[in-house]
Every structure is written in C-alpha cells, then in structure tokens.
Amino acid sequence: MEHKEQLEQLLIHVKRITKLTEEICEREIYPVSFFSQAFDITHKIQHLLHQMEISQIELFERQMKEHQAQIRSVGGMPEKAPVTPPVQKAEPVTPPPPPPPAPPKPEPQPQEIRTATLPVVPPEEKTTVKPPSAPVRPVLRDTPPFPPPAKPATEKMENSLNETIEKQKLSDLKKAFTLNDRFRFCRDLFSRDENLMNQTIAELNGRMSCEASVAYLKERFDWNFEDETVAEFIAILEKRFS
C-alpha cells in the first residue's frame, strides 16, 4: 500500500470514531455498541500506524544505502598511511650512590638509684557510716479507667454524608448500577435490549417495596431466580429498600 493510500485510510478511521463520539455527547447512557465499534476502529488505527512506521523505516534504509553507493562510486584521493615517529632509544640511567652508613649510637650509661624517704602518715580514726534510709513509696489508690476518646465531629459528619449519598444513589436504580453492571445485566437478563432494561428500571423506581419489585419481575420475565446474575440484580433492589 502506498503512503497516500495509507494516509487516506487513517483519515477515514479517525472520522468514523469522531462521528461515533459526537453521537453520544448529549446522551446520559452510552449504548453498548459504542464501545465495541470504538475498540474495533482503534485497533485498525494502531495496525495502520504500525505499517506506516515499518514502511518509513524501510524507505530510510533504502535511501541511506543508495547514498553510500553514490559516495563509493565517486573517486577520491587515497588516504595516506599514518607516519609513525621513530622510536628513540632510552639512555641507561645510572643509579645514585648508596648513602653513607650512620654513625653508631653511644651506649647508655647506668644511672645511680637514689632512695627517697616517705613521710609517715598517722592512721585515720574509724568513723561509722549509717546506711541511707529506704525511700518512702507512696501508696497508689485504684483510679477509675479513662473513658475512651470520643470520635471527632468531622468523622461523624463524613459518615453521615456518605450514608446520605448512598441513599440518594439507591433511590434511583439508574445511578445504583455501575457501567459494568449495566453491560452485564443488559447482556444476560435483557437479551442486549437496552430500551427494555431502561423501561424495567423506570417501572421498578415506582415500586414502594422490595416484595412488589420482585413480584413485578416474576410476572414480567421468565428468569431463573436462583441464577447468580439474577441474585445480584435482586440484591441491589434489597439495598434500595433497606
């Protein structure tokens, strides 16, 4: 594929993913088909960019080889061999004369030993030393245990705020489901029919109890209520009314 055709294909893929993104800008809930189509187009763009990179590398190598061949075809002056300077012979170095021997040290003469008379010190009188008295230890009385530290007011405010936000999410089932939950429930419970799932959620928002919601689902759908996916769906309903 030529470079111009590769660029045209790249522009087509970029326009497709731009158009898909513009179509869902005003929607609150994205369709499941958007992600699959976007992943497919992105994969094609990556593959096309990889091919363009390889072709550019091959073109650069080919141009370098042609340029080197042109340089070899043009005659040039032969390079001169480097001239090595003559090696000078080192003159023999005569070692310095050894130093003269040191004069012998005089032997030490014995000195006279003089005895000194020490003064006689009278013996000191014996004194009796009393042992120190043992320190008096204070008697510790039983003190009541300290009360546990109270929780800071900021922690209580954060807990109450989190509970309020959680209740607001569960008041509307559309906000209680995550994106992965919506994709899985739409695929496994509603046969990939997103409109049917949205209608069912709107009907469940109008129910005033968990029993009424489950009864509506049993009348409307032929589900296996012992299935793991159905059990997770029912668990979200129970959290809403707990």
Side-chain angles (χ1 to χ4, degrees), residues 6-242:
Q6 290 177 342
L7 291 176
E8 291 177 354
Q9 289 291 331
L10 182 61
L11 289 174
I12 291 172
H13 294 325
V14 172
K15 290 178 181 178
R16 285 183 60 193
I17 196 168
T18 304
K19 184 178 179 182
L20 286 174
T21 308
E22 290 175 352
E23 291 176 355
I24 66 170
C25 285
E26 302 298 331
R27 301 181 63 177
E28 181 180 359
I29 300 174
Y30 305 146
V32 180
S33 59
F34 166 74
F35 296 99
S36 59
Q37 292 179 6
F39 290 152
D40 186 19
I41 296 173
T42 306
H43 179 70
K44 290 180 180 179
I45 291 175
Q46 291 178 351
H47 181 67
L48 185 59
L49 289 174
H50 183 63
Q51 289 182 348
M52 293 174 63
E53 182 183 13
I54 293 175
S55 61
Q56 287 294 311
I57 293 174
E58 293 177 352
L59 178 61
F60 178 74
E61 291 179 352
R62 186 167 60 252
Q63 290 179 354
M64 287 295 296
K65 291 180 180 179
E66 292 177 357
H67 183 66
Q68 292 176 358
Q70 291 178 0
I71 293 175
R72 294 192 191 97
S73 61
V74 178
M77 294 297 291
E79 297 181 357
K80 295 182 179 180
V83 179
T84 57
V87 180
Q88 297 180 359
K89 294 183 179 180
E91 297 180 357
V93 179
T94 57
K105 295 181 180 181
E107 296 181 358
Q109 297 180 358
Q111 297 180 357
E112 295 181 357
I113 299 174
R114 298 180 180 180
T115 57
T117 58
L118 299 176
V120 179
V121 180
E124 297 179 356
E125 297 181 356
K126 296 182 180 180
T127 57
T128 58
V129 180
K130 295 182 180 181
S133 59
V136 179
R137 297 182 179 179
V139 179
L140 299 178
R141 298 180 179 178
D142 295 335
T143 57
F146 292 99
K151 293 184 179 180
T154 55
E155 185 177 355
K156 295 181 180 179
M157 293 176 62
E158 290 179 358
N159 293 335
S160 60
L161 182 60
N162 293 334
E163 292 177 358
T164 304
I165 294 173
E166 191 66 24
K167 290 181 179 179
Q168 290 179 358
K169 287 184 178 179
L170 293 176
S171 62
D172 187 1
L173 289 178
K174 289 183 180 180
K175 298 180 180 179
F177 295 145
T178 62
L179 183 61
N180 292 333
D181 292 339
R182 292 186 61 85
F183 179 78
R184 185 161 50 89
F185 292 153
C186 182
R187 180 191 61 192
D188 298 341
L189 302 181
F190 298 96
S191 301
R192 300 182 184 274
D193 191 347
E194 188 175 355
N195 294 327
L196 177 60
M197 184 178 68
N198 293 333
Q199 293 175 2
T200 304
I201 293 174
E203 290 290 337
L204 292 175
N205 282 333
R207 297 299 186 273
M208 302 304 295
S209 64
C210 182
E211 291 78 8
S213 301
V214 175
Y216 170 76
L217 293 175
K218 290 183 178 180
E219 293 176 0
R220 183 73 184 278
F221 302 101
D222 187 15
W223 289 350
N224 180 13
F225 284 81
E226 295 180 357
D227 183 68
E228 182 179 358
T229 306
V230 178
E232 293 179 2
F233 191 88
I234 299 299
I236 297 176
L237 288 176
E238 293 176 351
K239 287 183 179 179
R240 181 171 178 248
F241 296 103
S242 60

